[in-house]
Amino acid sequence: MNDPAKSTFSKKKVSDLLFILWAGGTALLSYSLVYALRKPYTAAAFADYEVFGMDYKVVVTIVQIIGYVISKFIGIKLISELRAKDRLKFILLSVLMAQLSLVLFGLLPVPYNILGMFLNGLSLGCMWGVIFSFLEGRRVTDILASLMGVSMVISSGTAKSVGLFVMNTLHVHECWMPALIGAVALPLLALCGVVLNRLPQPDKTDIACRSKREPLNGKQRWALYRNFMPFLTLLFIANVALVILRDIKEDFLVNIIDISQHSSWLFARIDSVVTLLILLIFGLMIYVRNNLSAMTILLLLIITGMIGMTILSFWYQQIALSTVAWLFI
C-alpha cells in the first residue's frame, strides 16, 4: 500500500522544485537583464576620449557608481516602504528610465553624455531589492537568493561579450551600443517583471517558517537598524566595498586584456562555466543541514578565493598564466 504521508511529502518536494525553477529562474534572468541595461558600456575602451585630462572611461565608471550608490541610499526608504501591488510599476519605471538614459548617452556629445550614465546608475540601483522582494518570506528563499546571486557572475561576462559583438560585428558606435542592447533587454525585463508579479503569495507554511514581509515606515526602519546595528553596518561596508571592487573588475577588463586575440564571446563562455560550477556547489550545499555550517563553508570558499587572487596579483608575471586561465580563476 502507498503511504499517504510519503506521497504528500513527495508531491510537496516536486512542487517546491517547480517553484524554485519558476521563481529562481525568472529572478536570475531578471537581474541578468538589469546588467544588460547597466553594463554593456564596459565592452568599449573609449580610447579616443578624455574629460578634463582624465581617462573618459574612468570618469564614466565613477559617475555611474555615484548614481548607483545614491540610488542604494534612496532605496533604504523606497524598498522598505514599497507595497506588493506597486512592485511591477517600480520595475517598469526603473527600466524605462534606464533605457532613456542610455539613449541620452548616445545622443549627447562627449563629455556631456556622461550625465546619461549617472541617470542610468540612479535608475537601476534599487532593482536588486525590488526583484528580491518577490522571493523573500518563503521556505526556499535561501535557494532562490542563491540563484539570483549567480546572475551577477554570468551576466557580467555576457554583457561585455554582447557589447563587443555589437561593436565588432554590427559596427555600432561605442556610445550607441549600450542603447541598442538596452532596447532588446527592456521588453524582456518588463516581461520578467510580469512573471514575478504573478508568483503565488507565501502560504501558511512559508509564513510559519519565515517572517512575513511588511512595509516599514521611518520609525520602524530606525528600530530595526538599532536592533541589528553592528551586523547591518558590517554588511553595508562589505557591500559597498564589493560593489566598487566588482565594478572596477568588470569595467576595465577590456582595457587591460588584448581581446583582439580572442572571440567576442570569450567573457560569456568563461562566466557560463563558472556559473555552472557555482550552481553545482550550491546544489551540494543541500546536504549541509546546519545553517551555521553552511555559512562557515561559504565564508571559507570566499576567503580561499581572495587568497588565491592575492597570490595571482602579486606574482602574476612569475606565474605567467594565460588570459583564459586568469579570467577563469
Side-chain angles (χ1 to χ4, degrees), residues 42-89:
T42 62
F46 299 112
D48 299 329
Y49 305 121
E50 283 190 356
V51 181
F52 306 118
M54 296 177 62
D55 184 280
Y56 176 79
K57 189 169 183 179
V58 171
V59 177
V60 169
T61 299
I62 291 173
V63 167
Q64 193 194 49
I65 290 177
I66 290 173
Y68 190 72
V69 171
I70 291 174
S71 181
K72 291 289 187 187
F73 280 104
I74 295 173
I76 294 173
K77 174 178 172 62
L78 291 183
I79 303 300
S80 62
E81 295 181 358
L82 189 65
R83 294 172 297 180
K85 66 175 185 176
D86 295 325
R87 292 169 185 164
L88 181 58
K89 295 177 185 177

Side-chain angles (χ1 to χ4, degrees), residues 152-174:
M152 289 188 284
V153 180
I154 191 170
S155 54
S156 172
T158 302
K160 275 190 285 292
S161 287
V162 173
L164 288 168
F165 174 79
V166 169
M167 289 188 297
N168 298 338
T169 305
L170 303 183
H171 307 293
V172 175
H173 189 273
E174 55 192 354

Side-chain angles (χ1 to χ4, degrees), residues 130-145:
V130 181
I131 295 173
F132 185 72
S133 65
F134 289 103
L135 310 179
E136 60 189 354
R138 306 177 189 273
R139 298 186 307 279
V140 292
T141 291
D142 292 346
I143 300 174
L144 297 176

Side-chain angles (χ1 to χ4, degrees), residues 42-45 57 160 164 249-263 266-267 270 316 321-328:
T42 62
K57 189 169 183 179
K160 275 190 285 292
L164 288 168
K249 185 270 292 185
E250 291 171 353
D251 297 359
F252 295 101
L253 272 179
V254 297
N255 297 73
I256 61 178
I257 292 174
D258 185 8
I259 197 64
S260 64
Q261 305 300 317
H262 301 279
S263 163
L266 172 68
F267 298 111
I270 291 174
Y316 176 74
L321 282 174
S322 68
T323 301
V324 174
W326 182 78
L327 283 173
F328 178 80

